[in-house]
Amino acid sequence: MNPLRSLILAAAGNDALRRAVAATPGTRGIVERFVAGETVADAVTAAARLIDDGLYVTLDHLGEDTWNVAQAEYTVRTYTDLLDRLTSEGLSARSEVSVKLSALGQLLDEKLALDNARRICEAAQRAGTTVTLDMEDHRTTDSTLRVLAELRRTWPWVGAVLQSYLRRTEADAAALADGDSRVRLCKGAYAEPEEFAFRSAHEVDLSYVRCANRLLAGDGYPMFATHDPRLISVLGERTRWYGRKQGGYEFQMLFGVRPAEQRRLAAEGETVRVYVPFGEHWYGYLVRRLAERPANLAFFLRALASRS
Ligand SMILES: Cc1cc2nc3c(=O)[nH]c(=O)nc-3n(C[C@H](O)[C@H](O)[C@H](O)COP(=O)(O)OP(=O)(O)OC[C@H]3O[C@@H](n4cnc5c(N)ncnc54)[C@H](O)[C@@H]3O)c2cc1C
């Protein structure tokens, strides 16, 4: 991995830096570019705008690594409230939710996270929509796939996420390419050791295409999460080669990243879903986005300077 990217990602877990960044002048503008706001109402407003533009959304309540049962409970209630609001605003047909199991208590107890995820799935079913389980760092992959399998026994539409930077992912993609399976394929956003993850961008891209082929060869519903222009063009060719019609797969991109490309693909008839994060705990998410664009490093250097 690019050493600069590793350095920025290490900052995601640094509490002193988090406080410094929050206090840095200009932070608000950068946060607002990538995060829809702090409240459920802000998230619903952002979803409505995107849907008006012909896009679909998946909403993510920011917050991860909860070691606290009460915090996990608050996360569940936020999601159920959000799903109720999407229904009452008539937005649920084009919106779903993305959930991090670590925000539901996975680090405390997998069973607690499973039970909490079940409550969100019940609310999604009432709303007539779906849930996708975000994938976090490699130490949680097996646990997340176990919870996914358990949830799919009741709700086969629960979506998985696979990360092409992990060496194991091609096998996971083959295993998840069946039936009703909804699988989001992304490159992966965490700092991972070489033992588990490909190091070079080229290897990660090649793995992405191999995993996409596995998903397209099956009869599930692939969700291609990338902003990479080269991969988007390869995926266009691969979907045609596998005889997939538009609507038999989708593209996904992040709120605030390549918005013109999101609209261009939608105008060409593609299903494009925007991942819309909201909530007070935006720091870890923002750092991962900045790590993808080291051009934004100046922002971090200002924050560091303001500590001294
Ligand atoms: C919908 C969605 C859901 C995701 N869910 C997960 C998940 O559950 N787990 C996980 O580990 N990761 C997740 N990710 C993040 C993903 O793993 C990557 O870290 C992220 O998408 C960047 O990879 P990329 O494929 O866009 O390619 P990159 O190689 O990072 O970027 C390719 C090009 O896209 C543009 N671009 C990319 N990022 C930015 C940016 N921040 N600002 C401006 N331009 C940019 C640039 O032109 C860049 O050259 C998700 C991503 C998306 C889009």
Side-chain angles (χ1 to χ4, degrees), residues 68-270:
N68 176 324
V69 175
Q71 178 65 29
E73 178 62 26
Y74 172 73
T75 301
V76 174
R77 283 169 191 244
T78 305
Y79 274 108
T80 53
D81 182 24
L82 170 66
L83 286 158
D84 289 347
R85 290 284 297 275
L86 290 169
T87 307
S88 62
E89 300 289 327
L91 300 171
S92 55
R94 278 187 170 239
S95 332
E96 65 139 31
V97 292
S98 284
V99 175
K100 284 188 176 50
L101 290 179
S102 74
L104 302 184
Q106 185 182 34
L107 303 178
L108 285 168
D109 173 12
E110 186 176 302
K111 171 79 169 50
L112 171 70
L114 171 62
D115 290 343
N116 282 336
R118 282 200 168 106
R119 291 164 60 202
I120 297 173
C121 289
E122 278 160 10
Q125 175 138 51
R126 282 197 302 277
T129 186
T130 51
V131 176
T132 297
L133 299 184
D134 281 353
M135 192 58 87
E136 300 176 67
D137 75 61
H138 78 276
R139 291 167 300 179
T140 64
T141 308
D142 283 322
S143 163
T144 300
L145 293 178
R146 269 195 304 275
V147 170
L148 173 86
E150 200 50 47
L151 293 172
R152 277 192 172 160
R153 286 149 64 99
T154 311
W155 301 283
W157 40 253
V158 176
V161 177
L162 296 177
Q163 300 149 317
S164 74
Y165 65 13
L166 292 186
R167 298 178 190 277
R168 61 177 284 168
T169 294
E170 191 178 350
D172 288 334
L176 284 171
D178 60 312
D180 299 325
S181 191
R182 295 168 60 252
V183 181
R184 174 194 303 157
L185 181 62
C186 64
K187 290 188 186 179
Y190 297 81
E192 299 286 15
E194 184 167 8
E195 183 188 351
F196 298 102
F198 296 114
R199 302 306 279 177
S200 75
H202 184 58
E203 283 177 300
V204 175
D205 291 355
L206 289 177
S207 167
Y208 195 106
V209 177
R210 287 196 302 275
C211 296
N213 283 332
R214 293 286 189 169
L215 295 176
L216 288 165
D219 46 12
Y221 182 75
M223 305 183 281
F224 297 117
T226 182
H227 314 97
D228 188 329
R230 207 153 55 108
L231 275 184
I232 291 169
S233 142
V234 170
L235 289 165
E237 184 275 320
R238 295 281 75 202
T239 50
R240 286 190 291 280
W241 195 86
Y242 281 99
R244 292 283 183 135
K245 302 230 159 25
Q246 286 181 331
Y249 61 90
E250 68 185 42
F251 287 105
Q252 298 191 344
M253 294 190 200
L254 302 174
F255 182 75
V257 181
R258 304 201 69 201
E261 177 67 359
Q262 296 170 12
R263 282 156 183 79
R264 184 191 72 79
L265 287 167
E268 285 188 354
E270 301 289 1

